[in-house]
């Protein structure tokens, strides 16, 4: 009996000693290492805040981001999301503070290029939180960047526009002359030139808002009056498509959201983004502790066709409106490498090449000349990611000065 | 108006409502406005009491919100107090938005032209230029109000003059004042350091608040102050007389054009000052979207404040709180445009209150 008690006592004493020693070692280690990386996963839940530049009902950029937010929010119980829409650029810092201080967000996504400096500043003000800025190039220990870019899709749209244009003039309604739009306009024109070297692309600048259906209508109508019969655009409403649908012989490409239903007989193709998969990737990595507030300085997502962040079409899973497939199949072009083939086959081939793991085709491959006939990209060379993200010059064949 | 069963008559009230009564009518109209918006919230499945509580809590009882409220109060008070002056003379300046924008343009122009002047010279010069350009933008309104051949010329002209001011900014920030490092965004470069108005650290409350409070007091002292119901200054008296009855004013030898010019210069100038403060103290850049409708909200501020300086201080605080706490509306899942709807509904009821203070409705059932 007493031996048994003795044995039990030994076990208890040993347990207490181990606990004390273990706690001491643990404390000592944590003291020596200092406060570790803060991971919100300790709490078991994650709260993400989103800041949008336009209204979520714009059916363009902000709408697409919000679709992505809802996708991840519905999918994971551990995730809570909140958003603020139509946040003016100069209110960014203030709204980030609100999301963190009042809403308790662990991570904030700022979804406009113009939010770049404010996001970096907020990263300094809130070193224990995480930030992700969409479409910028500045990062910090707790600020990462992410983007799904459309330039490959605009190039593919350009191939179709260049083949189908009757007047040899294609048009582009553009909100602001920022690098993203300049890149897209250039890609659109490069695609068109590949199948029809004399095509010019006329650009009308809105310079007002990202969401401005009234100005977009005026711009589209003036492009049509100038003879353009193929229209692409970057403005966050389906207005340009509606204008194309109203005008006989004018066709357009959907932008950002599946807008083909607004112009069933005039929408040839378009560009679609799926932000949900990217938000899922980022938030899961945060949840699992792979990303924290100390290691984001090199986290830079740039998802193109290969990663599945973007896809061709005016409707999901419909890369080309079926009404136009026969027309594209009937036009033949000669490619120096691929030989003679139809434009439809060329588009499909380019999709394969750009979704290939090695991306065997890049639209911005030299020689590419700017409007002043200066050689900007040497023959055989590809533009770097940084060059593309900060591009400020237009390729030869683009008409339209953004200065009023 | 005669309908089949009922006759409705609009009658001018015999005597002016007392001060207490007018305060009560205004507060009631405010409550009715809030009630209508609450009904809309309910229809959207949002608990209005909880939402109002949250707006109030964020706007006044959080450090973040209070700083934002006071920062929003600066332009609203400045515009509202300025607007109250022509409103007293029954001149409807609804174009404070445009006067605000040209004030901001003047500030940018001076700041970019003389970036090396010391701040003590440069900032007063910017305010002077903002006042001057704002006033210049307002003078045609006074002229058309007096000389115009139709009633409401002041309303039409002051409103229409908002758009050239806006387009002028769009032109400037895309053209001559475009930020060379702005990556194509429509904005001017940052204001030179010497032209930036000092901010309370960690907030966006800038020193302009002192200027605005001082000017509010001056307007009270020189134009509004009364003794036994009669304004103590000659100008204040003349403004009131013209506002109540222009014919009587003319008969008493008061030059309406002079009063119109003086009140509109004050109003346009104050809106211009607000524009200077907003760009040089808060935003530090010129952009087309600098105002977000502050000039229009200022109209509501002036009327809800009963065109009385103390009342306008309170109503500007109320609307500033609404702008700062308005993020809670979005958090409740409502679209951002609800904030505009909110302002619009309250303006509607406040103006209705003004109507009921001047007229009463009589009706009788016809047999």
């Amino acid at each position: 009996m007493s031996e048994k008690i003795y044995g039990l006592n030994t076990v208890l004493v040993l347990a207490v000693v181990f606990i004390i020693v273990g706690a001491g070692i643990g404390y000592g280690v944590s003291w020596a290492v200092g406060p570790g990386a803060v991971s919100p996963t300790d709490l078991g839940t994650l709260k993400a805040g989103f800041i949008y530049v336009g209204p979520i009902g714009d059916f363009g950029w902000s709408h697409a981001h919000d679709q992505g937010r809802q996708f991840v929010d519905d999918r994971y119980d551990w995730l809570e999301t909140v958003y603020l829409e139509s946040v003016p650029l100069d209110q960014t810092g203030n709204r980030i503070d609100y999301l963190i201080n009042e809403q308790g967000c662990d991570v904030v996504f700022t979804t406009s290029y113009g939010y770049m400096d404010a996001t970096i500043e907020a990263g300094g003000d809130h070193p224990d939180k995480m930030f992700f800025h969409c479409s910028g190039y500045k990062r910090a220990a707790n600020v990462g960047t992410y983007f799904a870019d459309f330039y490959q899709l605009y190039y593919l749209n350009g191939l179709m526009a260049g083949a189908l244009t009757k007047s040899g003039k294609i048009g582009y309604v553009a909100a602001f002359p920022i690098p993203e739009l300049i890149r897209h306009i250039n890609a659109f024109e490069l695609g068109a030139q590949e199948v029809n070297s004399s095509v010019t692309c006329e650009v009308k600048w809105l310079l007002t808002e990202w969401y401005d259906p009234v100005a977009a209508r005026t711009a589209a109508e003036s492009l049509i009056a100038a003879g353009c019969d193929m229209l692409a655009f970057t403005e966050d409403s389906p207005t340009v498509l509606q204008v194309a649908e109203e005008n006989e012989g004018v066709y357009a490409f959907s932008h950002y959201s599946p807008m083909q239903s607004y112009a069933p007989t005039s929408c040839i193709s378009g560009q679609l983004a799926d932000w949900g998969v990217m938000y899922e990737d980022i938030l899961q990595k945060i949840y699992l502790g792979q990303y924290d507030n100390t290691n984001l300085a090199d986290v830079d997502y740039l998802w193109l066709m290969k990663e599945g962040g973007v896809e061709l079409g005016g409707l999901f899973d419909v890369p080309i409106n079926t009404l136009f497939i026969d027309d594209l199949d009937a036009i033949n072009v000669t490619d120096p490498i691929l030989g003679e083939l139809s434009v439809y086959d060329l588009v499909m081939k380019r999709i394969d090449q750009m979704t290939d793991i090695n991306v065997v085709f890049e639209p911005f491959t030299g020689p590419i000349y700017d409007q002043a006939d200066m050689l900007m990209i040497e023959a055989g060379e590809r533009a770097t990611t940084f060059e593309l993200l900060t591009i400020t010059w237009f390729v030869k064949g683009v008409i339209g000065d953004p200065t009023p | 108006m005669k309908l089949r069963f009922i006759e409705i008559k609009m009658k001018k009230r015999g005597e002016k409502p007392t001060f207490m009564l007018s305060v009560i009518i205004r507060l009631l109209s405010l409550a009715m406005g809030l009630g209508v918006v609450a009904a809309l919230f309910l229809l959207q499945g949002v608990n209005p009491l909880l939402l109002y509580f949250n707006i109030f809590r964020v706007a006044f009882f959080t450090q973040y919100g209070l700083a934002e409220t006071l920062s929003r109060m600066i332009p609203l008070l400045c515009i509202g107090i300025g607007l109250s002056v022509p409103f007293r003379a029954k001149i409807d300046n609804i174009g404070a938005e445009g006067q605000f924008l040209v004030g901001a343009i003047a500030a940018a122009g001076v700041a970019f032209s003389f970036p090396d002047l010391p701040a003590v010279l440069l900032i007063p010069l910017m305010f002077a230029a903002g006042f001057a350009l704002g006033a210049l933008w307002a003078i045609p309104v006074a002229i058309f109000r007096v000389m115009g051949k139709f009633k409401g010329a002041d309303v039409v002209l002051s409103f229409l003059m908002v758009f050239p001011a806006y387009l002028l900014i769009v032109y400037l920030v895309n053209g001559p004042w475009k930020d060379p490092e702005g990556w194509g965004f429509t904005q001017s470069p940052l204001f030179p350091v010497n032209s930036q108005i000092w901010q309370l650290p960690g907030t966006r409350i800038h020193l302009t608040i002192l200027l605005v409070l001082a000017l509010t007091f001056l307007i009270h002292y020189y134009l509004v102050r009364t003794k036994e119901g009669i304004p103590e200054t000659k100008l204040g008296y003349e403004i009131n007389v013209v506002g109540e009855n222009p014919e009587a004013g003319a008969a008493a030898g008061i030059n309406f054009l002079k009063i119109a010019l003086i009140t509109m210069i004050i109003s346009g100038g104050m809106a211009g000052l607000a524009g200077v403060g907003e760009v040089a103290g808060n935003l530090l850049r010129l952009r087309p979207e600098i105002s977000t409708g502050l000039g229009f909200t200022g109209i509501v501020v002036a009327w809800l404040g009963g065109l009385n300086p103390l009342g306008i201080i309170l109503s500007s605080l109320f609307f500033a709180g609404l702008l700062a706490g308005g993020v809670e509306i979005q958090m409740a899942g409502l679209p951002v445009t609800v904030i505009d709807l909110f302002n619009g509904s309250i303006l509607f009821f406040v103006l209705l209150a003004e109507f009921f203070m001047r007229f009463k409705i009589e009706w009788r059932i016809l047999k």
Side-chain angles (χ1 to χ4, degrees):
Chain A
M1 187 88 174
S2 68
E3 266 182 29
K4 257 190 182 169
I5 290 171
Y6 180 69
L8 191 66
N9 278 349
T10 316
V11 171
L12 279 176
V13 168
L14 278 178
V16 170
V17 168
F18 275 128
I19 288 170
I20 292 171
V21 172
I25 292 172
Y27 180 78
V29 168
S30 69
W31 179 80
V33 173
V38 184
S39 168
T41 53
D42 298 341
L43 302 168
T45 60
L46 189 65
K47 187 160 181 176
F50 291 74
I51 291 186
Y52 303 135
V53 71
I56 57 168
D58 63 4
F59 215 60
W61 169 267
S62 296
H63 174 79
H65 278 278
D66 199 57
Q67 292 288 310
R69 177 191 67 81
Q70 286 178 26
F71 170 79
V72 281
D73 190 273
D74 290 346
R75 209 165 166 131
Y76 297 104
D77 290 337
W78 46 261
L79 179 68
E80 193 187 339
T81 64
V82 289
Y83 69 88
L84 292 172
E85 60 179 333
S86 297
V87 173
L89 298 189
D90 40 59
Q91 301 261 334
T92 323
N94 163 294
R95 295 298 154 88
I96 293 174
D97 289 349
Y98 170 81
L99 285 176
I100 287 172
N101 296 337
E102 302 304 322
Q103 293 294 325
C105 290
D106 305 299
V107 49
V108 174
F109 292 90
T110 52
T111 65
S112 182
Y113 191 85
Y115 296 151
M116 182 159 66
D117 290 333
T119 309
I120 294 290
E121 210 173 293
D125 292 345
H126 304 277
D128 55 334
K129 303 293 177 192
M130 279 172 266
F131 300 87
F132 280 87
H133 175 240
C134 184
S135 79
Y137 57 87
K138 291 186 186 170
R139 281 176 292 280
N142 59 340
V143 185
T145 50
Y146 67 102
F147 197 33
D149 195 68
F150 279 163
Y151 77 88
Q152 295 170 325
L153 303 176
Y154 272 103
Y155 159 80
L156 293 170
N157 292 165
L159 289 177
M160 298 180 236
L164 294 174
T165 177
K166 299 269 191 301
S167 62
K169 284 181 177 176
I170 60 177
Y172 199 116
V173 175
F176 296 106
I178 65 168
E180 182 191 346
L181 272 72
I182 295 173
R183 180 167 71 241
H184 292 170
I185 292 165
N186 286 344
F188 189 54
E189 171 67 7
L190 287 174
Q193 282 176 355
E194 185 172 327
V195 293
N196 183 347
S197 59
S198 65
V199 170
T200 56
C201 178
E202 197 160 322
V203 186
K204 277 275 179 258
W205 297 97
L206 306 183
L207 306 176
T208 50
E209 303 267 347
W210 288 108
Y211 177 77
D212 193 342
V214 178
R217 170 167 288 273
T218 316
E221 283 168 350
S222 76
L223 285 172
I224 294 169
C228 299
D229 58 356
M230 298 283 149
L231 301 178
F233 63 97
T234 305
E235 182 268 339
D236 292 334
S237 80
T239 308
V240 174
L241 279 172
Q242 289 166 326
V243 174
E245 187 77 4
E246 291 160 15
N247 287 273
E248 188 69 30
V250 178
Y251 303 93
F253 296 88
S254 156
H255 178 63
Y256 241 101
S257 292
M259 297 176 172
Q260 190 164 303
S261 53
Y262 288 90
T265 62
S266 305
C267 175
I268 301 171
S269 178
Q271 320 96 38
L272 292 164
D274 185 356
W275 291 102
V277 284
M278 192 184 290
Y279 284 132
E280 181 176 28
D281 192 274
I282 294 172
L283 287 164
Q284 254 183 346
K285 284 180 176 152
I286 293 173
Y287 186 66
L288 299 173
Q290 197 171 335
Y291 292 157
D292 59 39
N293 59 325
T294 62
N295 65 3
L296 299 183
D298 293 322
V299 174
D300 176 24
Y301 284 69
L302 178 65
W303 281 16
L304 301 169
M305 293 180 73
K306 185 181 76 170
E307 291 83 2
V310 298
E311 70 173 74
L312 183 69
L315 285 174
F316 280 106
D317 301 321
V318 184
I320 300 175
N321 186 343
T322 46
L323 293 179
F324 297 93
I325 291 178
D326 288 344
D327 291 343
L328 291 168
D329 225 4
I331 303 169
N332 280 335
V333 287
T334 310
D335 182 83
I337 295 162
L338 304 169
E340 189 171 329
L341 74 176
S342 77
V343 174
Y344 179 78
D345 290 337
L346 178 63
V347 171
M348 291 301 146
K349 186 72 194 165
R350 291 290 187 234
I351 293 176
D352 287 345
Q353 290 176 321
M354 290 191 286
T355 44
D356 186 281
I357 188 85
N358 295 316
V359 192
V360 290
F361 179 79
E362 159 62 47
F364 283 93
T365 303
I368 295 177
Y369 294 87
D370 74 356
Q371 285 171 314
D373 238 345
M374 225 168 48
L375 183 64
M376 299 304 281
I377 301 173
E378 301 277 345
E381 276 188 31
R382 288 184 178 189
T384 64
T385 304
F386 183 76
E387 281 168 350
L388 288 177
L389 282 179
T390 56
I391 192 167
T392 52
W393 50 271
F394 294 94
V395 300
K396 201 177 164 184
V398 174
I399 305 163
D401 183 358
T403 316
Chain B
M1 185 165 53
K2 247 185 178 167
L3 299 168
R4 188 181 290 266
F5 303 111
I6 194 169
E7 190 188 8
I8 301 171
K9 264 191 193 159
M10 214 171 71
K11 263 196 169 171
K12 228 179 167 132
R13 277 184 193 272
E15 69 276 15
K16 276 179 83 173
T18 62
F19 178 73
M20 271 316 289
L21 185 66
S22 71
V23 169
I24 290 171
I25 292 181
R26 283 204 181 86
L27 286 180
L28 272 178
S29 71
L30 184 62
M32 281 164 74
L34 291 176
V36 166
V37 178
L40 292 170
F41 286 160
L42 266 180
L43 284 176
Q44 294 292 316
V46 172
N47 180 345
L49 289 178
L50 196 66
L51 182 51
Y52 282 149
F53 173 78
N54 270 331
I55 293 173
F56 190 69
R57 181 186 63 82
V58 167
F60 297 103
F61 292 95
T62 63
Q63 199 191 347
Y64 150 84
L66 190 61
E68 182 66 7
T69 301
L70 291 176
S71 144
R72 295 299 77 211
M73 182 186 167
I74 300 168
L76 283 180
L77 175 59
C78 195
I79 293 170
I81 195 78
L83 282 176
S84 71
V85 178
F87 286 174
R88 284 173 163 268
K90 292 280 174 326
I91 297 167
D92 290 317
N93 175 20
I94 60 166
E97 180 88 355
Q99 295 141 19
F100 173 95
L101 293 175
V102 293
I105 292 175
V110 172
F112 295 141
S113 305
F114 311 103
D116 299 325
L117 275 186
V120 285
L121 284 176
L122 185 54
I123 292 174
L125 196 60
M126 284 157 64
F127 276 117
F131 188 95
L133 205 55
L136 193 70
W137 217 254
I139 285 172
V141 180
I143 295 169
F144 273 69
R145 171 67 175 89
V146 179
M147 314 285 208
K149 293 284 184 230
F150 68 97
K151 253 187 167 179
D154 48 349
V155 177
V156 175
L157 186 71
S158 61
F159 181 64
L160 290 181
M161 282 182 72
V162 173
F163 300 97
Y166 171 77
L167 291 171
L168 188 57
I169 294 190
V170 171
Y171 165 74
L172 288 169
V173 297
N174 282 295
W177 293 347
K178 189 183 172 91
D179 182 3
E181 285 153 24
W183 295 110
F185 273 92
T186 49
Q187 61 184 30
S188 76
L190 271 181
F191 275 40
V193 181
N194 288 348
S195 66
Q196 299 180 2
I197 300 168
W198 187 80
Q199 286 180 339
L200 203 61
T203 72
R204 303 197 298 162
I205 305 167
H206 43 100
L207 267 187
T208 317
I209 196 166
L210 299 181
L211 175 71
V212 174
L213 288 173
L215 288 170
T216 305
F217 177 76
L218 285 181
I219 285 179
H220 163 75
Y221 192 82
Y222 283 108
L223 300 177
V224 182
R225 192 165 48 108
T226 58
K227 200 181 205 173
E228 287 152 15
I230 298 160
E232 281 200 59
T233 61
K234 180 165 174 274
L235 189 58
Y237 175 76
E238 289 181 351
I239 291 174
N240 273 16
V241 170
V242 166
E244 268 153 38
N245 190 340
E247 287 81 31
I254 301 172
N255 184 344
F256 188 27
L257 183 61
K258 186 189 96 182
I259 297 296
L261 281 172
I262 290 174
T263 57
M264 279 308 290
I265 285 173
I266 292 174
S267 172
M270 291 291 284
L273 291 183
V276 177
E278 192 66 3
V279 289
N282 182 10
L283 308 173
L284 307 182
R285 285 182 197 279
L286 193 63
R287 285 183 205 275
E289 64 269 29
I290 49 171
S291 164
T292 58
L294 292 169
F296 298 118
T297 310
I299 301 170
V300 202
V301 167
W303 281 114
L304 182 63
L307 308 185
N308 173 307
L310 190 62
I312 291 172
I313 291 179
L314 292 176
S315 69
S316 65
L317 201 58
F318 172 78
F319 273 99
L322 209 57
L323 288 179
V327 281
E328 285 293 326
I329 292 179
Q330 286 205 57
M331 281 300 139
L334 298 172
V336 66
T337 40
V338 169
I339 298 171
D340 296 335
L341 190 139
F342 209 128
N343 288 352
S345 310
I346 287 167
L347 174 63
F348 181 79
F349 280 95
V350 168
L351 293 182
L352 209 60
E354 294 305 318
F355 173 81
F356 279 110
M357 269 185 247
R358 243 179 288 156
F359 298 97
K360 57 183 173 187
I361 303 277
E362 280 182 355
W363 56 278
R364 65 190 178 95
I365 294 172
L366 298 175
K367 300 224 170 100

